Amino acid sequence: MSEAKKYGWTGQGLRINLTTGEITKVPTQKDWIGGTALGYKIFWDEVPPKTQAFDEANKIVIAPGPLTGTGAVCSGRTSVTTMYPSTYPIHEIGSAHLGGDLGAKMKYAGYDFIVIEGKAKEPVYVYVNNDDVQIRKANHIWGEGTRRAAALINQETSPTASVTVIGPAGENLLPMSVIINAKSHTGGGIGGVWGSKNLKGLAIDGDQPIHIAADKEEWEKLVNRNKELLGALTQTVVSRYPHPLFEYHSLNSRWSGMPGKQWGAANPPINVPLDTRRLSKMAFRTNAGEFFLGDREWARHVRNNGCFACPIRCYPVIKDTATAAKYNVHPITEQTCGGLLFPIFFYPNLKNHPERNIEIAIVGSQLMDDLGLWCNYGQLQRDMIVMYQDGYWKKLLSKEEYDSLPWKKIDDVDASAMQDFLPRIAYRKGEFGKWLGETTPVMLDHFGIPVKTWSDDHRTLYWSNGHPKHHTNEDDGQLGCVLNCMWNRDPMAHAHVNFTRSGLPIKEMKHIAKVTWGDESAVDQIGDYTPTNTYKMKRLQWVIARTELHNMLGLCSWMAPWEYCPDEKNQYVGDPNMEAKIFSAVTGVNKTGDDLDKDGIRAWMLQRVYTMRQLGSSNMRKDHDLVPGWIYTDPKDRKPFTKGTVRMDPDDINKSFDIFFEQVGCDKETGVPTTDTLKAYRLDFVIPVLQKEGLIK
C-alpha cells in the first residue's frame, strides 16, 4: 500500500478553539476506530467529569468513521459526542447521531474528526475547505431558522458545502433542541450546546480522496454480497402484502414499494418497478411517508432522499400544495420517522379526524425543523398532553397564560395550533414555553410533580434519566428493557428491533437466533415472551456491541447489522461478519466480527466508567440503571408471560440484569466492570483513576 493513500482514515483530526481562535491538526487515534469511541476517549482524557453541558469547558467531538466517504453501503452516519443537557440529575456524556453528508465531506476535507472547544465572544460559524479553516462572524445569521441559516452559509461559502446549523431553540440553550444537516437530518438534544458556544453552524467542503485497500474485484464482490443482504427500511426483508416474489408478508413491514404503487407527485408520476434488486432501484422498496402517514401519502410522494452512500433512501419528499396554502408553509416536506410521526402526538383527538394526519405532520415537521426543536422521541408531546389532560397546566399556569394557549385548536385537531405553541417553546416564552423545553424531570421538579407519577404512567412512556423509552418491552421484552439502561440518553439502538420487526415469522427468527447466538430461545415472538435466559442476554451483549460499532464505523443502525436477509433459499440467514469484511477491505486492517464486537463493548464500557465518575457512583444498578414502573403493568391486568401482553415481571428483569452483567464481566450487584474485565478490554488506564476516586477497589 502506498503511504500517500488514505485507507479509511485520513490520519488527522481538527481542533478549533472558539475562545482563542486557535486551529490545530492532531493525529487520529486509530485504536479507537472513530465515532463515539473516539469521542469517549477525548472526553476521558480532557474533560473533567463534573463539567456541565453549557460550561465553556465542555467540548463537541464530531466524528464519523473509517467507512465514511468510501461509498460503503449505508455508511452515512456521523456521531457527535458531548455533555447532554437533557440528562438528569446532571448533564452526562452522550452522543447524537445524524445522517446526511456531514461525515463524508469531513473526510473529503481531510479530517477523521473535529473537536470544537471554548466559546466565541459573538455568534460565529466555522468554514472548513480542505486546509483552509476559518471562524467567521455570524451575527447576521443568528436568529434565523435552520433553513434560511443554511442557505445563507452556503451562499457565503460554497454551494457544495455540507452545512450543519442550529435554530432559535439551540440559540436559546434549550435542552430540547437539535443540530440539522442537509435540511432535515437531525442530531437530537445538543443544539443548545452549540448555542452555548455561540456556534451557529459548520460548513465543510473538500476534494481529497479516501481510498479502499482491497482490489476492485474484491470490493465489487463485497458490494454485491451486501446488495443481497439488504432489505427495506429498518432491514425489513419481506413484503407488506402477499406477492409471488415473497414467501411471507407482514402488515408491519416497511417493504411497501410494490408494483401497482406510484410516486404520484413526481413529474411525471413514477410507477414502482417489479425488480428492485439493483442498488439503483432499492429506493423503490421503501416509502417511510406512507408507513407513518397512510396510503394517502402515495399521491403526494415526489421521490425518496437520504444519506450519503445509502441506496435505501428512507427520507420521503412530499408535495402538498393544499396544506402549503392553508397554513402558509412550504409545499415540499422532507423528513422521516419522528419528524413525520411525532407531531400527531400533540392531538389526542386525531382518532376522530384521521384525515388531518398528513397536514399535521407537514406543518409540525417543517416548523420544528426550522426552529431546531427536538421532541425527544415524542416525550415533549406526551409531556405536554398529559399535563393538559390531567389539568396540570390549568392549575399551574396563570389564568392569562393558560387562556392564551390554543387548547381549543388542539381539541379540534387544527394544525395551526403548532404555529402558536411551538415558537413559545423555542423562544422560552412564559412558564409553558420555558419549562416544557427543559428535560422532563426538570419540568416536573419545577412544578412540584413527583417523577414517579410520570414513570408509573404508561401514557408518558418516560423511562429515566431525562429520556423516554426507545424500543423496549413492546419490541423485545427483557432485552429491550435492559438495553434502555445502558446509555445516558435513549440508546438509539436498532439491532434488536430491526430483527424482531423484520416481518419474518417466529420460526425463521428462531432459526437465525440458533445460528447466530447459539439457541432458539435468544428471541421471542413479540407479545409472547418467555422468562429470561443466558441466550437472550448474550444477544443483548451483541446488540450493544453492534450499536457502538456502527456508531464507530459510521454505519446506519436502521439498516445494519445483517444477521438476516431476504434470501429464502438460505432460510433468511445473513452474514453477521459483513461489517468486519467491509472494515478490513477498506482499511487493510484485518479484524473479525468478534474482534470488532470487542471494540464495541470496549467503547460502551469506557462511557460507562466515565459516567460512574460523573455520578460519583460505585453502584450503577442503584444510581443509573433504572426502569419505570409502567413496564410492570397491563391495561387488562394480564400476567407476565401471558400471550398478548408485553408486561414484564420484576424478578425476571432483575435476573436479566444479573445474567447480563456477569456475562460482560461486571459485578452483578453493582453493574461495575471488574478490574480484570477492564484489563481484558484494554482499559487499564482507567483503573488507577477509578481507584483514586473510590469507585472500584
Side-chain angles (χ1 to χ4, degrees):
M1 287 188 275
S2 168
E3 289 298 317
K5 291 190 173 182
K6 304 165 185 176
Y7 296 109
W9 295 283
T10 70
Q12 66 178 359
L14 190 63
R15 286 181 178 269
I16 303 169
N17 191 305
L18 299 178
T19 302
T20 64
E22 184 179 9
I23 297 168
T24 55
K25 297 175 183 177
V26 292
T28 300
Q29 301 180 56
K30 294 182 181 179
D31 182 50
W32 292 92
I33 297 181
T36 49
L38 189 60
Y40 300 152
K41 183 60 164 58
I42 289 172
F43 267 74
W44 178 275
D45 290 342
E46 303 175 14
V47 182
K50 300 297 183 182
T51 303
Q52 294 296 275
F54 302 143
D55 293 349
E56 188 173 332
N58 188 20
K59 300 189 180 187
I60 302 167
V61 181
I62 307 168
L67 304 189
T68 309
T70 65
V73 171
C74 303
S75 60
R77 202 174 196 211
T78 300
S79 295
V80 184
T81 302
T82 189
M83 295 298 192
Y84 248 73
S86 53
T87 57
Y88 182 86
I90 61 172
H91 298 162
E92 299 163 16
I93 192 170
S95 298
H97 313 284
L98 67 162
D101 59 359
L102 169 61
K105 285 301 179 80
M106 280 178 58
K107 299 291 286 293
Y108 297 153
Y111 306 104
D112 293 316
F113 62 96
I114 296 175
V115 182
I116 306 290
E117 305 171 316
K119 177 181 180 179
K121 293 180 180 178
E122 58 184 340
V124 299
Y125 70 87
V126 172
Y127 177 42
V128 179
N129 188 350
N130 295 323
D131 289 331
D132 183 16
V133 182
Q134 303 173 24
I135 302 173
R136 296 185 173 186
K137 291 183 179 181
N139 304 74
H140 59 300
I141 302 175
W142 198 260
E144 297 286 357
T146 63
R147 301 290 169 83
R148 179 167 169 77
L152 288 170
I153 291 174
N154 271 125
Q155 289 173 12
E156 294 178 9
T157 57
S158 163
T160 60
S162 172
V163 176
T164 305
V165 294
I166 62 171
E171 295 173 0
N172 288 303
L173 310 191
L174 209 69
M176 295 298 109
S177 60
V178 300
I179 59 173
I180 289 192
N181 171 256
K183 185 184 280 186
S184 55
H185 298 266
T186 63
I190 62 170
V193 178
W194 287 45
S196 72
K197 296 184 177 299
N198 280 323
L199 178 64
K200 181 64 177 181
L202 172 65
I204 305 181
D205 211 353
D207 56 10
Q208 302 181 48
I210 298 295
H211 296 94
I212 295 168
D215 60 40
K216 291 182 180 179
E217 290 75 18
E218 181 185 351
W219 184 249
E220 186 173 358
K221 287 179 181 178
L222 278 176
V223 171
N224 287 333
R225 178 58 178 145
N226 221 137
K227 181 175 66 174
E228 294 170 352
L229 297 176
L230 284 173
L233 174 59
T234 62
Q235 190 57 7
T236 43
V237 295
V238 303
S239 66
R240 172 84 59 80
Y241 311 106
H243 191 277
L245 292 181
F246 294 89
E247 181 181 13
Y248 304 113
H249 71 280
S250 170
L251 291 177
N252 291 320
S253 173
R254 303 194 187 190
W255 195 321
S256 60
M258 311 296 291
K261 297 295 184 181
Q262 185 182 76
W263 291 1
N267 186 19
I270 299 173
N271 295 318
V272 174
L274 173 65
D275 185 1
T276 57
R277 287 174 292 185
R278 286 181 291 166
L279 285 172
S280 61
K281 298 291 185 181
M282 284 184 178
F284 285 106
R285 297 175 178 181
T286 297
N287 182 351
E290 174 268 345
F291 183 79
F292 291 112
L293 301 176
D295 199 62
R296 294 182 303 122
E297 191 275 346
W298 283 105
R300 297 166 172 81
H301 198 81
V302 179
R303 62 182 177 88
N304 286 356
N305 202 350
C307 305
F308 184 92
C310 180
I312 302 301
R313 318 305 288 170
C314 70
Y315 271 50
V317 178
I318 301 169
K319 184 176 182 179
D320 191 328
T321 55
T323 295
K326 184 176 179 180
Y327 296 101
N328 193 30
V329 297
H330 200 280
I332 297 293
T333 300
E334 185 178 323
Q335 248 296 356
T336 191
C337 192
L340 292 177
L341 176 65
F342 291 135
I344 67 177
F345 289 9
F346 284 125
Y347 297 89
N349 295 333
L350 182 63
K351 59 184 179 293
N352 300 323
H353 298 280
E355 74 282 357
R356 298 179 187 171
N357 70 329
I358 293 180
E359 64 182 29
I360 289 169
I362 288 172
V363 174
S365 64
Q366 285 194 29
L367 187 53
M368 291 191 77
D369 278 358
D370 200 44
L371 291 170
L373 268 175
W374 188 40
C375 73
N376 199 7
Y377 296 94
Q379 194 63 48
L380 177 75
Q381 287 89 332
R382 291 187 292 270
D383 287 350
M384 174 179 158
I385 292 304
V386 172
M387 291 279 284
Y388 173 48
Q389 291 178 325
D390 289 2
Y392 286 110
W393 291 129
K394 191 168 188 177
K395 175 184 176 183
L396 297 169
L397 300 180
S398 69
K399 185 177 186 306
E400 180 183 10
E401 183 175 1
Y402 182 83
D403 289 345
S404 72
L405 283 154
W407 303 118
K408 188 176 188 306
K409 287 186 176 183
I410 293 171
D411 291 339
D412 292 343
V413 197
D414 184 338
S416 68
M418 291 180 288
Q419 296 172 316
D420 179 314
F421 65 75
L422 288 177
R424 297 187 193 221
I425 301 170
Y427 290 98
R428 292 180 174 269
K429 291 184 177 179
E431 286 282 284
F432 173 89
K434 179 178 181 180
W435 295 104
L436 193 58
E438 291 285 345
T439 193
T440 299
V442 172
M443 178 193 75
L444 296 176
D445 182 64
H446 171 75
F447 289 122
I449 304 169
V451 173
K452 191 175 186 301
T453 302
W454 247 236
S455 62
D456 285 349
D457 189 338
H458 199 285
R459 295 175 300 165
T460 71
L461 296 183
Y462 177 70
W463 195 260
S464 64
N465 204 35
H467 290 272
K469 67 95 183 173
H470 201 159
H471 302 302
T472 56
N473 54 321
E474 85 286 2
D475 284 318
D476 210 341
Q478 302 96 330
L479 189 157
C481 290
V482 178
L483 177 71
N484 266 251
C485 298
M486 293 299 111
W487 283 271
N488 298 326
R489 56 163 296 184
D490 62 291
M492 283 301 292
H494 299 97
H496 63 310
V497 64
N498 285 1
F499 183 45
T500 59
R501 298 282 184 183
S502 63
L504 292 171
I506 189 62
K507 68 173 184 176
E508 303 294 359
M509 286 194 285
K510 284 188 172 294
H511 173 70
I512 296 166
K514 185 174 182 178
V515 172
T516 308
W517 302 290
D519 195 86
E520 293 182 348
S521 64
V523 66
D524 288 328
Q525 178 71 55
I526 294 172
D528 191 12
Y529 297 136
T530 59
T532 194
N533 63 36
T534 300
Y535 292 101
K536 290 182 181 181
M537 295 302 104
K538 181 179 180 181
R539 184 168 150 250
L540 170 62
Q541 181 177 347
W542 184 84
V543 167
I544 291 173
R546 291 298 164 107
T547 297
E548 285 290 18
L549 177 61
H550 299 152
N551 296 337
M552 294 154 63
L553 294 175
L555 283 175
C556 172
S557 75
W558 275 13
M559 289 307 302
W562 295 287
E563 79 278 20
Y564 62 99
C565 71
D567 185 3
E568 175 186 343
K569 295 178 182 178
N570 199 35
Q571 289 187 269
Y572 305 98
V573 175
D575 188 348
N577 289 306
M578 180 52 66
E579 292 96 327
K581 292 175 182 177
I582 297 172
F583 172 83
S584 299
V586 167
T587 65
V589 178
N590 291 318
K591 288 205 175 196
T592 66
D594 287 343
D595 292 335
L596 287 176
D597 284 344
K598 289 176 182 176
D599 288 328
I601 293 294
R602 182 188 187 213
W604 167 76
M605 208 163 278
L606 180 59
Q607 68 89 28
R608 188 165 178 86
V609 295
Y610 187 83
T611 302
M612 288 170 56
R613 297 181 65 201
Q614 294 186 285
L615 296 174
S617 174
S618 59
N619 190 330
M620 291 288 277
R621 283 192 70 168
K622 177 174 70 72
D623 299 330
H624 183 272
D625 306 332
L626 307 176
V627 296
W630 59 258
I631 69 169
Y632 301 128
T633 63
D634 179 272
K636 297 181 179 178
D637 201 29
R638 291 168 292 192
K639 302 301 181 185
F641 312 122
T642 301
K643 190 171 184 178
T645 184
V646 297
R647 181 181 184 177
M648 296 285 100
D649 175 77
D651 291 336
D652 186 71
I653 291 296
N654 282 328
K655 184 178 179 182
S656 297
F657 277 103
D658 289 345
I659 296 171
F660 170 72
F661 283 131
E662 285 188 311
Q663 204 159 257
V664 295
C666 294
D667 179 273
K668 76 173 185 179
E669 302 297 331
T670 64
V672 170
T674 67
T675 54
D676 286 343
T677 297
L678 292 171
K679 291 175 183 177
Y681 283 101
R682 295 178 292 127
L683 294 171
D684 311 59
F685 61 90
V686 310
I687 295 174
V689 177
L690 297 175
Q691 289 175 333
K692 182 179 179 180
E693 295 178 7
L695 302 176
I696 63 172
K697 294 181 180 179

